[in-house]
Structure formats: structure tokens, C-alpha cells
Amino acid sequence: QRAFTTFPHVTHVMTVDPDWVPHVDTLTKADLERDVAAYQFKIWDRSGVSVRYANWLARHASNLTFAYYVHEDFRLSNGLPPLVVKELAWEVSEVEPNKSWHNLVGHGEGSSASRSHRRY
């Protein structure tokens, strides 16, 4: 809501982890449509072998929030995620610098303060 008030002219909002690097050549604003509530984009893992998708690109709206428990998710004011989600060819890659969020707080092996379940 604060972002909507501060930047009312913005059409879409994309949230990324601090250890993600965008593939700039895949980001095309012309891919965004006004009648689509949210988009998912591809996230390459640190090894560059596997991918997952996130719906963290959404049409800018006053009722959009970002919830966090084990993993983050966009939510509307009714507490539900956007119902219309379109897949984009947009891509980002995870990187693992020595002092990234994942190493210090999140999923990193060296982290004693992980807020997420370990992946096996």
C-alpha cells in the first residue's frame, strides 16, 4: 500500500531476492498486460541446473501485499494469491556471494539462523 501511494504511476511491481541477478535480455515491458493480475518468471538455481517459478511480478494495486512464512508470496487484500497468473519468458539466476542473505540468514549451509526448512 505504501508503494502504491508513493509510486501511483507504476503499472507493475516485481519483487526479487537480493541474491538474484536478472537476465536483462529477457525482460520486456511489452510482455505485460493490464488485465493480468500476476505473472510468473523463471528462477535458475545457483548450480544453473534446475529452475523454479515465482509469481512475484504483479499489476500494481493498492490491495497487493507480500506475505512471508517459510516462503514469500503475493497476496490480495482478501488474503488470496492472484487468480490469473501468466507465465513470462523472464529469467533471473541465483548467485551465492560469500555474504548473501541466504548465507547469513536464509537457506545457506553456514547459517545457524535459517528461517526455512532445509532442503534434502
Side-chain angles (χ1 to χ4, degrees):
Q1 291 172 340
R2 185 174 170 190
F4 186 78
T5 303
T6 306
F7 304 103
H9 61 283
V10 173
T11 60
H12 292 80
V13 177
M14 182 177 185
T15 304
V16 297
D17 275 355
D19 60 347
W20 293 354
V21 175
H23 298 204
V24 177
D25 58 327
T26 67
L27 309 181
T28 306
K29 189 173 180 180
D31 293 339
L32 305 177
E33 303 170 19
R34 283 201 135 329
D35 61 338
V36 177
Y39 296 87
Q40 62 180 359
F41 55 91
K42 186 183 294 185
I43 307 160
W44 289 93
D45 72 358
R46 287 177 279 290
S47 69
V49 175
S50 63
V51 298
R52 66 184 188 279
Y53 290 85
N55 69 340
W56 295 2
L57 174 60
R59 187 176 62 242
H60 197 34
S62 62
N63 64 343
L64 189 64
T65 61
F66 202 60
Y68 177 81
Y69 180 62
V70 174
H71 292 285
E72 302 85 353
D73 198 13
F74 274 128
R75 298 287 175 179
L76 300 174
S77 60
N78 61 8
L80 299 173
L83 297 177
V84 178
V85 179
K86 181 177 179 181
E87 184 177 328
L88 293 175
W90 294 22
E91 298 182 11
V92 298
S93 290
E94 288 182 327
V95 294
E96 195 65 49
N98 289 336
K99 294 191 178 198
S100 76
W101 178 89
H102 283 283
N103 269 342
L104 298 174
V105 178
H107 307 295
E109 289 299 319
S111 172
S112 61
S114 179
R115 287 183 264 169
S116 181
H117 298 289
R118 291 196 180 275
R119 298 177 183 161
Y120 297 97

